[in-house]
Amino acid sequence: DSGVTQTPKHLITATGQRVTLRCSPRSGDLSVYWYQQSLDQGLQFLIQYYNGEERAKGNILERFSAQQFPDLHSELNLSSLELGDSALYFCASSARAGETGELFFGEGSRLTVL
Amino acid sequence: GIQVEQSPPDLILQEGANSTLRCNFSDSVNNLQWFHQNPWGQLINLFYIPSGTKQNGRLSATTVATERYSLLYISSSQTTDSGVYFCAVTGGYQKVTFGIGTKLQVIP
């Protein structure tokens, strides 16, 4: 158990819909990262937050947004869903922002868009 | 951004065999990690190794930061070692970049 909690574990929805994925980082970790992994693909970095503020942005679509709340949990919002958004979405956390410490991943949220 | 190349892309081993996985990166990095993604999709931390050598049981890793590569050694492989092994590096702007992985299949 990495200590990073993601919900829901599985989600099936239809095209055009909107979903929210939630992540609770390890106790004490201030940084949260979101990654997308499409079928048989590598991990694509989406976005990073540190203590509530956006720190780095990757290949995140405009239809996607994220935030980190004062209690440090984070949410990734995916809207106007398309078939190609079907993927495994991972959240990771680490302790430091000045330099990236060791990342610990949650078990992922598997999104299926029909 | 930093480019991360992993080799080989695919590897099939007989149980008990040894293997070496390689990760090359295109620029200086602050951190480097190795992960194992098991067949159920879980990402498991193997090593946090910006430089030097570490060992954990049958696995060991070496990073030579000045030459921009890292190696992951798997000895006496077991079927439970099957999955995808990812190398991830952190460069400027704290962006973590993953390689595309090495898919390992260990057959009995």
Side-chain angles (χ1 to χ4, degrees):
Chain A
D1 183 2
S2 67
V4 179
T5 303
Q6 288 188 248
T7 57
K9 287 188 168 42
H10 301 275
L11 191 55
I12 302 174
T13 189
T15 54
Q17 295 299 304
R18 172 189 170 96
V19 298
T20 297
L21 310 180
R22 182 188 169 100
C23 170
S24 294
R26 291 190 318 156
S27 178
D29 282 358
L30 300 176
S31 280
V32 168
Y33 307 77
W34 286 98
Y35 285 84
Q36 178 193 54
Q37 186 180 34
S38 301
L39 188 63
D40 290 334
Q41 299 293 311
L43 282 92
Q44 296 296 317
F45 170 67
L46 296 179
I47 199 163
Q48 178 201 355
Y49 283 85
Y50 172 75
N51 203 20
E53 292 192 2
E54 183 182 307
R55 274 303 175 102
K57 209 165 187 176
N59 301 320
I60 187 166
L61 300 173
E62 286 192 10
R63 300 184 286 108
F64 296 1
S65 65
Q67 55 183 326
Q68 185 180 28
F69 294 86
D71 67 352
L72 301 177
H73 90 272
S74 178
E75 292 181 357
L76 178 67
N77 300 296
L78 315 175
S79 62
S80 303
L81 286 168
E82 302 174 359
L83 296 178
D85 297 327
S86 295
L88 193 52
Y89 291 84
F90 284 105
C91 168
S93 75
S94 70
R96 297 167 288 173
E99 61 177 88
T100 302
E102 187 171 1
L103 291 185
F104 292 88
F105 280 84
E107 294 190 351
S109 292
R110 189 173 297 276
L111 173 66
T112 302
V113 182
L114 300 176
Chain B
I2 293 179
Q3 305 299 312
V4 179
E5 293 182 359
Q6 290 188 244
S7 59
D10 296 279
L11 187 59
I12 298 175
L13 293 177
Q14 199 78 37
E15 200 169 22
N18 303 327
S19 63
T20 300
L21 282 56
R22 187 176 181 103
C23 172
N24 292 332
F25 40 96
S26 61
D27 204 344
S28 58
V29 298
N30 300 319
N31 293 305
L32 187 144
Q33 282 187 254
W34 284 97
F35 295 91
H36 174 217
Q37 187 168 35
N38 64 24
W40 296 271
Q42 292 176 308
L43 279 164
I44 299 162
N45 290 36
L46 296 179
F47 294 101
Y48 174 67
I49 185 167
S51 63
T53 297
K54 291 186 177 180
Q55 180 152 8
N56 185 3
R58 297 181 295 103
L59 303 182
S60 64
T62 294
T63 297
V64 184
T66 53
E67 296 187 20
R68 300 181 185 168
Y69 73 89
S70 183
L71 302 174
L72 177 69
Y73 305 95
I74 303 174
S75 64
S76 304
S77 58
Q78 300 176 358
T79 55
T80 51
D81 295 330
S82 296
V84 183
Y85 290 80
F86 288 104
C87 165
V89 303
T90 305
Y93 306 103
Q94 291 83 49
K95 183 179 173 183
V96 180
T97 302
F98 279 75
I100 61 170
T102 292
K103 189 171 184 179
L104 173 65
Q105 184 180 359
V106 180
I107 54 177

